[in-house]
Amino acid sequence: MTTSIPQRNSEFSAPTVLVDRSRVENNVQAMFQRARRAGVHFRPHFKTHQSPEVGAWMRAMGVRAITVSSVAMAEGFVAAGWSDLTLALPAYPAMLGRVAALLDRARIGLLVDHPEAAQALVAHPALRAASEAAGRPLSVWIKLDAGYGRAGVRWDDAARFAAVVEALDAPWIRREGILAHSGHTYGARSAAEIASIHACCLERLVPLRARWSPQFADGKLRISVGDTPTCSVLEDFGPVDEIRPGNFVFYDLSQVQIGACAPEEISACVLCPVIGKDEARHRLILHGGAVHLSKDRLEQDDASVSFGQLAARPYDGSWQLPDPQRSLVSLSQEHGIAQLTEQTMQDYRIGDFVQVFPVHSCLACDLHAVYRTTDGEELSRVR
Amino acid sequence: MTTSIPQRNSEFSAPTVLVDRSRVENNVQAMFQRARRAGVHFRPHFKTHQSPEVGAWMRAMGVRAITVSSVAMAEGFVAAGWSDLTLALPAYPAMLGRVAALLDRARIGLLVDHPEAAQALVAHPALRAASEAAGRPLSVWIKLDAGYGRAGVRWDDAARFAAVVEALDAPWIRREGILAHSGHTYGARSAAEIASIHACCLERLVPLRARWSPQFADGKLRISVGDTPTCSVLEDFGPVDEIRPGNFVFYDLSQVQIGACAPEEISACVLCPVIGKDEARHRLILHGGAVHLSKDRLEQDDASVSFGQLAARPYDGSWQLPDPQRSLVSLSQEHGIAQLTEQTMQDYRIGDFVQVFPVHSCLACDLHAVYRTTDGEELSRVR
């Protein structure tokens, strides 16, 4: 009698994020070259990988400026040696003391989108003292809502924009420009649709430059945009100064659905052990639940919902692609259920580890304290 | 000019799980007494809190046996001094070495639901050696599917049940009984509906006892059941030997919807800072997204979807209840959007910390490395 663990699996004993470094580097290379061709500054968002080691790969490729989305992430990447960050979350008073403590080692650009927040920022004594001690003004961006409808000053709310600009009036504050995130590209299903969202965004942002540039540093209002779909499919970003894509490092099934990447470009998955088989209903039970993959859902064109896709055979050390015919149809805290067929059920045994491709790699990776590369390297995460 | 941070908030600088210890202890006390009245063994599931400190509160109240759902959780709680655990996830070969390493300090009951898994378990040399060295047989439960349809031997699949029983044939293995989880009570909306699911479950499980008891330890097939809705509303569990509820320690909005608890019994929430206000649409933007609350959804009776509910005023050190009129209507990675009214918008300022009650406390708490109690105690989590 033998157990059903293939040899290569012996290094894994629990669900584990698996990262293919060469695919990551190809994704970074492609995006960095795209930014260079378009003449825009490249400030990738690190919220997807959150890993100092992945950051180090990107630094080796020439990346010098990054985006983060929490003060904890800023602390982690400053500790890892990064010195030029934008903290792309509207600043709130209780985080400012922690930001101030980083300014001796890094420039941290902050966001505001409300006069109340701008006033609190300007009135924060520790932030001011730290900026002055660092000998450089604090960069502040005004977060703009160019149509996504989540956060930011609405592009047509001139009164609020003026109030924020006015509140940001201090010699130690440097008004950088406006920052937008077109998250509604995630609803797009073609490059043309993405291009039209970007065009609409520019139509709303560019007039602000003409009107407000004199109030910004060096007489120029900069424009920073940043979603992965837009940055993955456009070659010309128009009068944009900076792009901040994040998800592209790993990509995922959502991005495939949008048309922002090919399945071959996905560079992270979760290796999950098969823990059960329901031969009668052709279902595989995986130790791979909401705590490993997140509950993000892919609403498919046939109206069914998927929580992930499996590779077509157990992991044997060579990377495989997601198979849309092998979908996770249900997730609970620790369990995932894959609906297969009588035939594809034969491809797996209990104990096999299978690559499960998450719907949304940012949320799935956030659930894991460490990742492993296909080369066996362990990757840590900032907390 | 002043910032808008109320005095009490100064201890928080980021989204934080807040636990009310007295509510936790009331929940544990009530469930433990219910188990005693019903004459069933109490083996609470620790997957919801995952915290050694919360475990210590429960130990002080008399709890001695626990349930966990991953080998990492088993390792964490054995390290914290627990010595009687059931690992309620179908056992897979690659985890057995780690289980074996715990058997000198703890009894670990395992689950199997497939002949392949049972064979791999019986053939595992390290597990056998560790059991024999510990001088006590290894407890194994057969996971039963009594109608939920997730994992387990279907109650009416006699051939598979017999094959699993037969495979578990070794002098160092102790066949304990059958273990079921009626997860479909989460779709219930009344105590009567929950009672009828439990009755149906018993109707399917009890005949197995008559048929199979001679094959189980001491000639008795034990029955263990375990969902929070059933355990919260029934007083009589029938011929059940053990209950394993987990969520009841914290409860949450899902359990309120099911009718398993009152809003007053919820004992955990996530304190989130207000980072923006959209006065035109009466929306509050919180730093409280999928990485703080999980993307679990509450599908409400009016067909709308909620990702959480806010307390009716900022946190000032006194616990408040969730207000169904203040719902999170959208979540992205770091942001949550609450839909309020022109009037209720007035209750919050940027920088306020607000109690956000999650839909599913198990998944929300799993996203945080530490929690804080309302008394200021820090609670750690096993990993």
Side-chain angles (χ1 to χ4, degrees), chain B residues 102-334:
Chain B
L102 299 172
L103 294 179
D104 58 336
R105 284 161 292 159
R107 292 170 192 268
I108 312 278
L110 296 180
L111 262 61
V112 293
D113 67 3
H114 197 283
E116 242 177 74
Q119 287 156 14
L121 191 154
V122 170
H124 199 280
L127 196 64
R128 175 185 182 158
S131 286
E132 290 177 348
R136 54 180 179 239
L138 182 80
S139 290
V140 180
W141 295 83
I142 300 181
K143 166 94 176 172
L144 253 281
D145 172 11
Y148 179 31
R150 185 178 67 182
V153 181
R154 256 181 72 108
W155 74 93
D156 56 359
D157 190 345
R160 181 158 152 187
F161 192 86
V164 173
V165 170
E166 194 185 335
L168 291 174
D169 186 17
W172 58 281
I173 300 270
R174 175 184 159 92
R175 299 188 195 110
E176 281 293 340
I178 56 181
L179 183 148
H181 173 70
S182 292
H184 46 322
T185 54
Y186 280 71
R189 292 291 175 273
S190 70
E193 219 176 317
I194 292 166
S196 119
I197 290 170
H198 185 65
C200 170
C201 170
L202 289 182
E203 216 165 273
R204 290 164 171 179
L205 298 186
V206 173
L208 294 169
R209 169 177 283 169
R211 164 75 182 80
W212 290 100
S213 272
Q215 313 296 323
F216 282 73
D218 312 323
K220 185 186 175 194
L221 177 152
R222 286 154 202 80
I223 298 179
S224 173
V225 299
D227 58 292
T228 280
T230 301
C231 297
S232 296
V233 307
L234 296 194
E235 280 292 334
D236 177 1
F237 299 100
V240 153
D241 298 284
E242 175 179 271
I243 60 170
R244 310 180 320 277
N247 178 283
F248 76 98
V249 171
F250 289 159
Y251 284 124
D252 55 33
L253 297 181
S254 300
Q255 300 290 342
V256 172
Q257 187 184 47
I258 292 164
C261 74
E264 291 76 7
E265 293 172 293
I266 300 177
S267 62
C269 63
V270 185
L271 267 190
C272 298
V274 175
I275 60 172
K277 296 198 288 187
D278 179 346
E279 285 90 350
R281 291 184 296 175
H282 316 313
R283 289 179 156 197
L284 211 59
I285 299 102
L286 298 163
H287 188 201
V291 299
H292 310 107
L293 294 161
S294 98
K295 273 221 157 171
D296 228 345
R297 305 141 56 94
L298 196 68
E299 291 176 13
Q300 299 180 114
D301 294 339
D302 63 0
S304 67
V305 167
S306 174
F307 296 95
Q309 290 174 7
L310 277 59
R313 56 171 205 274
Y315 183 63
D316 60 2
S318 70
W319 190 267
Q320 295 151 66
L321 301 183
D323 182 346
Q325 301 307 314
R326 301 171 194 231
S327 173
L328 280 187
V329 295
S330 161
L331 280 192
S332 48
Q333 182 165 354
E334 300 273 353

